[in-house]
Amino acid sequence: MAADSEPESEVFEITDFTTASEWERFISKVEEVLNDWKLIGISSGKPLEMHSTGEHSEICDFVGEGIYTTGIWEEKSDEISFADFRFSITHHYLVQEASDKDGKEELVEDALPLSMQDLLCMNNDFPPRAHCLVRWYGLREFLVIAPAANNDAVLSESKCNLLLSSISIALGNTGCQVPLFVQIHHKWRRMYVGECQGPGVRTDFEMVHLRKVPNQYTHLSGLLDIFKSKIGCPLTPLPPVSIAIRLTYVLQDWQQYFWPQQPPDIDALIGGEVGGLEFGKLPFGACEDPISELHLATTWPHLTEGIIVDNDVYSDLDPIQAPQWSVRVRKADNPQCLLGDFLTEFFKLCRRKESTDEILGRSTFEEDGKEVADITHALSKLTEPAPVPIHKLSVTNMVHSAKKKIRKHRGVDDSPLNNEVLNTIMLFLFPDAADKLTDGSEARPSTSRNNPLPESEEYNIYSQFKSAPSDSLTYKLALCLCMINFYHGGVKGVAHLWQEFVVEMRRRWEKNDLIPGLANGPPDLRCCLLHQKLQMLNCCIERKKARDEGKKAYTSDCSPSGSSGDTGKAVDRSGGDYQKETEKERGEVGKSWESWSDSEEEFFECLSDTEELKGNGQENGKKGGTKEGSKESANLKPEGRLHPHGKLTLLHPGEPLYIPVTQEPAPMTEDLLEEQSEVLAKLGTSAEGAHLRARMQSACLLSDMESFKAANPGCCLEDFVRWYSPRDYIEEEVVDEEGNRVLKGELSARMKIPSNMWVEAWETAKPVPARRQRRLFDDTREAEKVLHYLAIQKPADLARHLLPCVIHASVLKVKEEETLEDIASVKKIIKQIISHSSKVLRFPNPEDKKLEEIIAQIMSAEAIIARARSLKAKFAIEKCDQEEEKEDLERFVNCLLEQPEVSVIGAGRGPAGSIIHKLFVNAQRVATMTSLDEELKRSGSSDERRLNLGAVADFPPPAGRELILRITVPRPAPYSKPLPQRMYSVITKEDFRLAGAFSADTTFF
């Protein structure tokens, strides 16, 4: 076996050196990406024209000035890997229109790559918003290879050199003329090295980054020395270096009097000095200056070496003399704004878990009967004569009962809301209380006085947001609760006000006082559920009030028949839900409350002794077929007639057909409709379930049939259908026996179906006028349900119900404030808010995250308007006398809000420049005031004092110094091709960076 295994152990291993290494695979992947993106060969883009000026050529680009900022930048990325280390390669480029001179490039032999030409272009120096490599090198197109993971970094020099050699080979193999950079060190340092290759030329991109600035390089003279030594050009003398300089000054101390926003007077609010109008308004504006800093950039775009001095001892760079000024503002991070704070605090209520009695104490809702009282009071109460009830509606009556309960168990001073604030709010919510106090007369609450028109934008907003009309009680309640939550005790104040509100609703129900600020009619399903509940309660009060008034009228009249009043006092009907195809014909159908409300059935009413019921006892014996029934009913006295129905007559007796007084359908809120639909759905699809469902839905139909039979004795089903659903009665012309054309009618096919619901209901219906029918709408029960619903609402539930109203009010407030400033970006945000809110608030229980997004949008709009006002105040636009100058300043401020950086027309000598100069001068005086006082105390003579006073500079030391040095020289040998050289330098207090692009001739070196 050993002998057999010997040949295997002596196997000759062959190393295949043609197998690609990881390094070669990486280079191949880079080349593959460059090919896929079609970046091989000559760079595509707009050509550059050469203009010879003096000893060297200056390059002037077709690309317009500022295009790097205003143009569209795009990027595309891919992922490559070196062994197991992942890199991302990204192509950044400026989108340009196709050039009309594409053929020109072919005529120019050995043309420089576009990126090399961009190094000398001066049209886009110091772009305010661009990739850092665009700012440092002026490139319009480049590639970046960077570690894919944020925490990865290329730190060692050997790896950096390996990557550089890889991209150099890839560029050489593909002929790509787009610069390719590699990001090294940690990403926060923004360190890049790269290369660009062209026909016989190469540009190396190098970078230096230090935290501490070397003293010898803080000025132009030292940087020129670095630049020249790096070029190492053998020519003597060197052509003059082209220089662009930008000094940036920062203004932080604005002086407080430049901020116009006055904070709200908290003491006045807590002291109850806020009137009703104030409670109906949301606050607006920033509590602090939303503009934190102003950055002034003074630029010398075209300087030549030798004409300017800038060294450690002396500098010619006076910002006042700079030919170009540009300004940018730094906005405060999340400035505190009043409207945003109100919204945020109100939204926090939605997350609270406590109930009202947990917040105020369980004893607050004890019944009066359970309270321990003095026995003498009880005895005196029994022996006192009953006072005549006088219905007074005053603020004191509104709040005393719940207030009394709260005070029994805690001190007066412990109540969340004091009497003055509470009374002011209740008067604002219920203005009819003040009216009754002044004139003593009871008037129906008017809701149409300030209602928005149906076609107005406000009307559409409330229907889109599912909130409430802007002059409704619900809307006002939302604003009051919002203010109470912010200024008067938070959630405790909200619980207290809500308790008082519920007590007032109960009192109004018991006293038959209509609730003001609610539109007439059934609940509006376009509004929030709380608004619908209040409308439902108002409907109940209206029905109860009309019934009670009808009883009084009947008692005083003593008339045995109420039919005479059926046509006299009809109230127009607003189109019930149960009306079929007859809305047009029956739009005027109404009813007289006094004609039927005196005998409504309620659990506490006994109606058997009324004269009218005795006179019409025959309805109890009504049984039998339709023919027999029609004969008997023909002998009945007609009741409950409203008015004749045009020229229509009954088919059999031939008498005029009368429209009856009918009951209105029961108003329903959306939760009741949903509950009803669930009950009907649970009945299933069986025949029995369908029949039961039809009977449940035909209560209103049966009531109308009974009213019709009472108003039209001797009528038949065809007569009812002709009035109620004309489409189900088909008429056609026929020729009779005598040859005359006559109209003959019959019921439609669906009415002839056996066991038809209409036929069954007609056979069941008795001739009973609406005033003696059982009520379709039990207002007592529904009112108690609404009051119970209101009483069990937690502050969080209340906030959820009213949040759409608060958002609605906030949007209207932002729109109102925006019209004063006319800011395009805010108009756009408002449209986005309305669109977003209409989608989110339309459905119940929207997600908290989406609500937070809406609130953030409103806060953003408020901050922009606050910034606009801050800038207008700082630049004293309102104080400007000359109209033309005022328009220029307004345009300048609007540009500051919209654009990252704005040029100052006329630099330091223009109107805006003069104001900026004054701002800096004032800030400098304030900053040096303390140090000047100390110096004046130390200095003895008046001459020294005068010298120190004059030493105060108009501007502080520059916060940033940027320089761009350019030259076109042959490199590396005197006989090499002249190529562009560029170095960018930025110096700040804690940062020093040099970014150089040095080109060399690879053919003649």
Side-chain angles (χ1 to χ4, degrees):
M1 294 294 292
D4 292 338
S5 63
E6 275 184 16
E8 293 181 8
S9 62
E10 295 177 2
V11 173
F12 178 71
E13 293 186 5
I14 299 174
T15 304
D16 187 2
F17 290 99
T18 61
T19 304
S21 64
E22 293 291 347
W23 179 53
E24 291 170 314
R25 288 195 188 98
F26 177 72
I27 295 172
S28 176
K29 288 175 185 174
V30 174
E31 293 176 6
E32 185 180 337
V33 171
L34 295 178
N35 274 286
D36 289 344
W37 289 347
K38 296 181 176 56
L39 298 178
I40 57 175
I42 298 175
S43 301
S44 61
K46 290 188 178 180
L48 302 169
E49 291 185 348
M50 305 289 289
H51 297 282
S52 179
T53 55
E55 298 180 9
H56 66 282
S57 297
E58 183 180 326
I59 296 177
C60 185
D61 193 356
F62 278 162
V63 176
E65 189 171 349
I67 193 66
Y68 282 7
T69 303
T70 59
I72 300 171
W73 285 87
E74 290 186 359
E75 61 180 65
K76 47 188 173 184
S77 298
D78 204 345
E79 198 166 285
I80 55 178
S81 58
F82 194 125
D84 58 347
F85 196 95
R86 293 184 303 109
F87 289 94
S88 67
I89 179 168
T90 308
H91 180 209
H92 300 265
Y93 57 98
L94 177 69
V95 178
Q96 296 175 253
E97 297 177 2
S99 174
D100 296 331
K101 303 180 181 180
D102 293 339
K104 241 187 176 181
E105 291 182 8
E106 300 175 4
L107 303 176
V108 181
E109 293 185 5
D110 298 334
L112 291 178
L114 286 178
S115 56
M116 289 190 186
Q117 300 176 34
D118 288 343
L119 295 177
L120 295 182
C121 179
M122 295 185 178
N123 286 350
N124 289 284
D125 289 346
F126 314 114
R129 186 170 53 198
H131 192 282
C132 57
L133 292 174
V134 176
R135 188 174 186 88
W136 297 339
Y137 296 113
L139 303 173
R140 75 179 84 176
E141 185 178 20
F142 55 93
L143 294 148
V144 177
I145 295 177
N150 286 328
N151 53 353
D152 288 340
V154 180
L155 299 175
S156 68
E157 188 176 354
S158 59
K159 289 182 180 178
C160 177
N161 290 333
L162 185 63
L163 286 171
L164 276 174
S165 62
S166 302
I167 65 171
S168 183
I169 293 170
L171 291 174
N173 290 343
T174 58
C176 176
Q177 296 187 2
V178 178
L180 183 52
F181 291 87
V182 176
Q183 186 168 13
I184 59 175
H185 289 286
H186 297 288
K187 290 198 172 183
W188 64 267
R189 295 190 65 180
R190 298 191 298 173
M191 288 281 289
Y192 298 89
V193 290
E195 186 174 310
C196 175
Q197 293 186 11
V201 292
R202 185 184 73 238
T203 300
D204 294 313
F205 298 93
E206 302 171 10
M207 196 168 291
V208 174
H209 183 221
L210 303 173
R211 287 197 173 182
K212 188 176 180 182
V213 186
N215 291 331
Q216 64 270 32
Y217 302 135
T218 56
H219 295 85
L220 174 61
S221 55
L223 294 171
L224 278 171
D225 293 341
I226 296 180
F227 186 55
K228 290 178 181 178
S229 63
K230 181 64 182 176
I231 293 171
C233 181
L235 290 181
T236 51
L238 268 179
V241 177
S242 174
I243 304 168
I245 300 177
R246 169 172 283 206
L247 304 182
T248 302
Y249 300 90
V250 177
L251 177 64
Q252 292 176 320
D253 187 5
W254 289 100
Q255 301 298 303
Q256 289 304 313
Y257 61 84
F258 283 115
W259 176 230
Q261 178 73 29
Q262 292 297 322
D265 189 351
I266 308 295
D267 295 331
L269 288 166
I270 295 174
E273 295 176 19
V274 179
L277 288 175
E278 291 297 323
F279 269 106
K281 292 181 180 178
L282 286 173
F284 192 88
C287 295
E288 57 183 331
D289 197 335
I291 304 293
S292 58
E293 293 178 356
L294 182 141
H295 293 197
L296 170 65
T298 57
T299 308
W300 291 261
H302 305 293
L303 294 176
T304 308
E305 180 190 3
I307 68 169
I308 191 169
V309 177
D310 181 46
N311 52 38
D312 293 338
V313 180
Y314 175 78
S315 176
D316 287 329
L317 300 175
D318 181 7
I320 294 293
Q321 304 301 323
Q324 290 181 8
W325 275 23
S326 56
V327 174
R328 68 167 68 199
V329 291
R330 183 176 176 183
K331 299 149 189 173
D333 297 330
N334 302 318
Q336 184 186 1
C337 294
L338 292 173
L339 182 61
D341 287 352
F342 263 57
L343 271 172
T344 306
E345 290 300 318
F346 192 77
F347 181 64
K348 286 179 184 176
L349 278 181
C350 299
R351 298 194 175 101
R352 300 295 293 257
K353 304 291 185 186
E354 307 94 329
S355 64
T356 305
D357 34 343
E358 286 172 347
I359 293 168
L360 297 177
R362 294 193 176 275
S363 57
T364 57
F365 284 104
E366 287 183 358
E367 298 284 338
D368 286 339
K370 295 179 182 179
E371 295 170 357
V372 180
D374 190 354
I375 190 67
T376 57
H377 292 171
L379 292 173
S380 63
K381 193 79 175 174
L382 289 172
T383 56
E384 275 177 3
V388 178
I390 301 173
H391 297 290
K392 277 190 177 180
L393 187 58
S394 66
V395 176
T396 308
N397 289 336
M398 289 180 197
V399 302
H400 84 282
S401 56
K403 192 79 173 178
K404 187 169 59 179
K405 294 176 189 175
I406 292 174
R407 286 179 176 174
K408 268 190 173 67
H409 303 282
R410 68 164 78 94
V412 177
D413 296 334
D414 296 336
S415 296
L417 296 177
N418 64 52
N419 240 347
E420 227 175 324
V421 173
L422 191 57
N423 290 351
T424 305
I425 296 172
M426 298 302 276
L427 267 178
F428 171 65
L429 293 177
F430 303 103
D432 57 340
D435 296 340
K436 291 190 179 184
L437 284 174
T438 53
D439 57 18
S441 61
E442 185 173 346
R444 184 181 182 83
S446 173
T447 57
S448 60
R449 185 171 45 189
N450 295 317
N451 267 348
L453 296 173
E455 64 271 10
S456 71
E457 198 170 354
E458 286 185 18
Y459 187 91
N460 293 330
I461 286 179
Y462 99 76
S463 59
Q464 291 173 38
F465 284 18
K466 203 171 176 62
S467 58
S470 53
D471 61 346
S472 66
L473 174 65
T474 316
Y475 185 92
K476 293 177 181 178
L477 176 65
L479 297 184
C480 289
L481 287 172
C482 198
M483 186 164 285
I484 290 298
N485 178 58
F486 197 80
Y487 285 131
H488 301 286
V491 68
K492 284 191 175 184
V494 169
H496 185 187
L497 177 58
W498 178 242
Q499 179 183 312
E500 299 289 353
F501 186 85
V502 174
V503 169
E504 173 63 14
M505 292 298 102
R506 165 71 66 181
R507 192 202 63 75
R508 284 180 176 266
W509 160 246
E510 292 173 353
K511 301 293 184 183
N512 288 353
D513 288 326
L514 287 168
I515 305 168
L518 298 175
N520 299 329
D524 189 349
L525 301 181
R526 296 171 300 176
C527 300
C528 64
L529 183 58
L530 186 65
H531 187 78
Q532 294 177 40
K533 292 289 183 183
L534 295 177
Q535 282 186 302
M536 173 68 89
L537 184 59
N538 226 19
C539 288
C540 296
I541 295 171
E542 193 173 2
R543 299 279 178 98
K544 180 168 172 267
K545 183 178 179 180
R547 188 173 64 254
D548 292 348
E549 289 175 356
K551 287 177 186 176
K552 292 176 186 176
Y554 176 76
T555 305
S556 60
D557 197 5
C558 293
S559 174
S561 173
S563 60
S564 62
D566 290 343
T567 58
K569 299 181 181 179
V571 180
D572 282 353
R573 193 165 170 179
S574 58
D577 294 340
Y578 69 96
Q579 290 180 8
K580 307 299 182 201
E581 298 91 347
T582 60
E583 290 179 5
K584 190 172 181 180
E585 289 190 28
R586 299 183 62 211
E588 298 177 357
V589 176
K591 65 179 177 180
S592 170
W593 287 107
E594 290 83 352
S595 65
W596 64 275
S597 61
D598 57 323
S599 58
E600 281 276 312
E601 288 183 4
E602 269 191 282
F603 64 94
F604 54 82
E605 293 176 350
C606 182
L607 304 172
S608 59
D609 57 346
T610 60
E611 264 184 62
E612 195 157 347
L613 263 178
K614 289 177 183 177
N616 293 287
Q618 58 266 56
E619 62 176 278
N620 297 323
K622 182 80 182 76
K623 290 178 184 178
T626 54
K627 291 183 179 179
E628 185 183 348
S630 63
K631 289 179 181 178
E632 290 184 11
S633 62
N635 298 325
L636 296 175
K637 185 179 179 181
E639 295 181 272
R641 288 179 170 179
L642 185 65
H643 57 75
H645 189 297
K647 296 180 181 180
L648 281 183
T649 58
L650 300 179
L651 293 177
H652 298 303
E655 295 181 4
L657 188 150
Y658 281 87
I659 294 175
V661 175
T662 57
Q663 292 194 60
E664 286 193 15
M668 300 188 81
T669 56
E670 62 184 26
D671 59 334
L672 294 178
L673 287 169
E674 188 177 349
E675 185 181 325
Q676 187 187 60
S677 63
E678 287 178 5
V679 170
L680 294 174
K682 286 177 182 177
L683 293 175
T685 56
S686 63
E688 185 181 354
H691 185 71
L692 185 56
R693 189 184 301 110
R695 287 185 64 85
M696 289 176 65
Q697 293 175 315
S698 63
C700 195
L701 176 66
L702 182 63
S703 169
D704 289 345
M705 284 181 171
E706 291 184 339
S707 299
F708 188 82
K709 280 188 174 184
N712 298 281
C715 62
C716 59
L717 178 61
E718 286 82 354
D719 294 320
F720 177 76
V721 170
R722 288 163 68 208
W723 164 64
Y724 202 82
S725 180
R727 292 183 184 180
D728 283 308
Y729 188 76
I730 301 167
E731 290 183 326
E732 57 182 357
E733 283 189 356
V734 294
V735 180
D736 60 5
E737 297 173 355
E738 300 176 359
N740 298 324
R741 290 182 174 273
V742 293
L743 284 174
K744 184 180 179 182
E746 61 177 355
L747 294 176
S748 64
R750 76 176 182 124
M751 290 292 179
K752 295 178 181 178
I753 299 173
S755 301
N756 187 296
M757 179 185 71
W758 288 59
V759 176
E760 287 185 4
W762 182 260
E763 291 174 354
T764 310
K766 303 169 185 177
V768 182
R771 59 194 172 88
R772 288 208 310 276
Q773 293 174 7
R774 181 168 184 173
R775 280 181 288 163
L776 293 175
F777 177 59
D778 189 345
D779 50 68
T780 305
R781 184 183 64 183
E782 293 301 328
E784 291 297 334
K785 284 168 66 175
V786 171
L787 290 169
H788 175 70
Y789 179 86
L790 297 179
I792 64 172
Q793 293 298 301
K794 298 178 180 179
D797 302 329
L798 190 60
R800 288 274 178 192
H801 283 306
L802 295 176
L803 189 61
C805 295
V806 176
I807 291 175
H808 176 195
S810 302
V811 171
L812 293 183
K813 184 68 177 177
V814 172
K815 288 185 74 173
E816 176 191 337
E817 299 291 335
E818 188 277 329
T819 51
L820 303 175
E821 308 299 333
D822 192 20
I823 306 168
S825 59
V826 177
K827 285 186 173 72
K828 186 177 179 182
I829 292 175
I830 290 172
K831 288 181 180 177
Q832 292 173 353
I833 294 170
I834 293 174
S835 173
H836 191 190
S837 300
S838 61
K839 294 173 185 174
V840 173
L841 300 176
R842 191 177 300 164
F843 303 101
N845 302 319
E847 296 177 16
D848 284 2
K849 187 179 178 182
K850 292 182 178 178
L851 293 172
E852 287 170 355
E853 289 173 359
I854 295 172
I855 293 172
Q857 286 179 308
I858 294 172
M859 292 169 69
S860 170
E862 182 184 21
I864 293 173
I865 294 173
R867 290 184 194 118
R869 291 178 175 172
S870 173
L871 289 172
K872 285 184 177 180
K874 289 174 174 60
F875 286 91
I877 292 178
E878 299 302 326
K879 297 177 182 177
C880 188
D881 297 329
Q882 298 180 8
E883 194 64 31
E884 188 177 347
E885 188 176 322
K886 185 176 181 179
E887 289 178 3
D888 290 342
L889 287 174
E890 284 181 349
R891 202 176 302 115
F892 176 73
V893 166
N894 288 335
C895 290
L896 277 177
L897 293 170
E898 307 285 342
Q899 301 173 14
E901 190 172 284
V902 181
S903 296
V904 180
I905 299 172
R909 293 166 295 279
S914 302
I915 294 171
I916 294 169
H917 183 200
K918 288 177 185 176
L919 289 172
F920 273 99
V921 169
N922 291 336
Q924 280 295 97
R925 286 178 180 171
V926 172
T928 55
M929 193 67 71
T930 308
S931 57
L932 274 177
D933 290 342
E934 292 175 359
E935 288 293 329
L936 287 173
K937 289 176 183 177
R938 290 174 192 166
S939 56
S941 65
S942 59
D943 294 336
E944 288 179 355
R945 292 180 187 176
R946 210 174 292 113
L947 184 65
N948 285 328
L949 283 170
V952 180
D954 289 355
F955 290 87
R961 300 171 64 94
E962 294 175 273
L963 288 89
I964 299 176
L965 308 178
R966 298 182 182 89
I967 195 171
T968 304
V969 293
R971 186 173 177 263
Y975 48 80
S976 299
K977 185 177 182 178
L979 295 172
Q981 319 294 330
R982 171 184 171 124
M983 188 178 80
Y984 171 89
S985 165
V986 58
I987 304 168
T988 62
K989 191 175 182 181
E990 297 179 349
D991 193 62
F992 174 72
R993 186 185 299 271
L994 295 177
F998 304 104
S999 306
D1001 190 338
T1002 57
T1003 305
F1004 300 101
F1005 55 90

